[in-house]
């Protein structure tokens, strides 16, 4: 009987130790995510064009819908089409591949707010577009996450980035 009583405090210490270790892991993960969100918030706050800020804020979270062009769902080229038209008064073609054809090529390091970035996720042809903001971030309509601000420097985007540039 004494043995059982002596093991009880060790069991409690073991459980407490496991909780502390697991909470540290969770806390680390949360801080990492908060850092990305904080960087994206800083990018939005530092936009020169405040109409652009409001446009992005208004559309953030709208779900992706292939061919969509409204708040019920929008695709990447539709989002770029509407943003460029409403914010910059530029009429782009409707399809990302055609949008890439009217852009004057620029090096990524020379991109300015409102420039376009093009990707090829499915081969050689352009099949995705986003709008460059600043500090390596861009906004786009993600097929999985809807309209979102993302980090262009992520390897997943760097591998498939095929063109960037400005319409003017």
């Amino acid at each position: 009987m004494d043995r059982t009583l002596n093991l009880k405090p060790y069991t409690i210490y073991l459980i407490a130790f496991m909780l502390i270790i697991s909470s540290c892991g969770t806390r680390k993960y949360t801080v990492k995510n908060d850092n990305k969100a904080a960087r994206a918030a800083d990018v939005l706050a530092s936009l020169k064009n405040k109409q652009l800020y409001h446009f992005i804020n208004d559309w953030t979270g709208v779900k992706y819908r292939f061919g969509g062009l409204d708040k019920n769902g929008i695709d990447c080229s539709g989002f770029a089409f509407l943003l460029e038209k409403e914010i910059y008064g530029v009429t782009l073609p409707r399809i990302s591949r055609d949008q890439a054809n009217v852009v004057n090529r620029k090096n990524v390091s020379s991109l300015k707010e409102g420039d376009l970035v093009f990707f090829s996720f499915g081969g050689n042809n352009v099949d995705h577009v986003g709008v460059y903001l600043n500090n390596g971030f861009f906004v786009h309509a993600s097929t999985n996450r809807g309209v979102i601000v993302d980090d262009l420097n992520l390897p997943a985007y760097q591998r498939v980035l095929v063109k960037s540039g400005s319409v003017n």
Side-chain angles (χ1 to χ4, degrees):
M1 191 82 157
D2 282 81
R3 221 181 234 184
T4 306
L5 291 175
N6 289 338
L7 290 178
K8 238 181 184 179
Y10 292 112
T11 305
I12 292 170
Y13 291 129
L14 180 62
I15 291 171
F17 179 72
M18 289 172 62
L19 287 173
I20 290 170
I21 289 175
S22 67
S23 69
C24 289
T26 304
R27 196 172 299 172
K28 244 185 205 178
Y29 182 73
T30 303
V31 170
K32 184 177 180 184
N33 284 344
D34 288 346
N35 186 33
K36 182 180 176 187
R39 288 179 49 219
D42 287 344
V43 164
L44 288 173
S46 66
L47 290 174
K48 294 175 186 165
N49 187 324
K50 294 308 172 191
Q51 285 180 294
L52 177 60
Y53 171 85
H54 292 295
F55 185 90
I56 294 168
N57 194 45
D58 196 36
W59 281 86
T60 296
V62 171
K63 68 180 180 175
Y64 180 91
R65 183 171 52 103
F66 182 75
L69 201 56
D70 59 31
K71 298 265 177 87
N72 293 318
I74 193 159
D75 64 15
C76 64
S77 59
F79 181 74
F81 173 84
L82 290 177
L83 186 150
E84 292 292 328
K85 185 172 184 155
E86 188 171 317
I87 303 304
Y88 300 106
V90 173
T91 302
L92 288 174
R94 176 61 179 87
I95 299 169
S96 59
R97 180 180 55 248
D98 297 335
Q99 291 171 349
N101 290 332
V102 300
V103 165
N104 299 317
R105 189 177 289 271
K106 271 185 175 179
N107 190 309
V108 174
S109 63
S110 301
L111 291 176
K112 304 278 186 236
E113 191 175 290
D115 285 344
L116 300 175
V117 288
F118 296 94
F119 307 90
S120 178
F121 286 98
N124 295 330
N125 295 326
V126 168
D127 56 18
H128 190 69
V129 61
V131 179
Y132 187 78
L133 301 174
N134 61 52
N135 295 322
F137 279 78
F138 71 110
V139 63
H140 64 125
S142 163
T143 55
N144 297 324
R145 297 171 291 153
V147 176
I148 189 165
V149 173
D150 245 329
D151 188 347
L152 187 59
N153 296 309
L154 291 173
Y157 293 122
Q158 287 295 303
R159 282 191 295 270
V160 295
L161 180 67
V162 293
K163 187 175 184 180
S164 57
S166 60
V167 180
N168 337 29

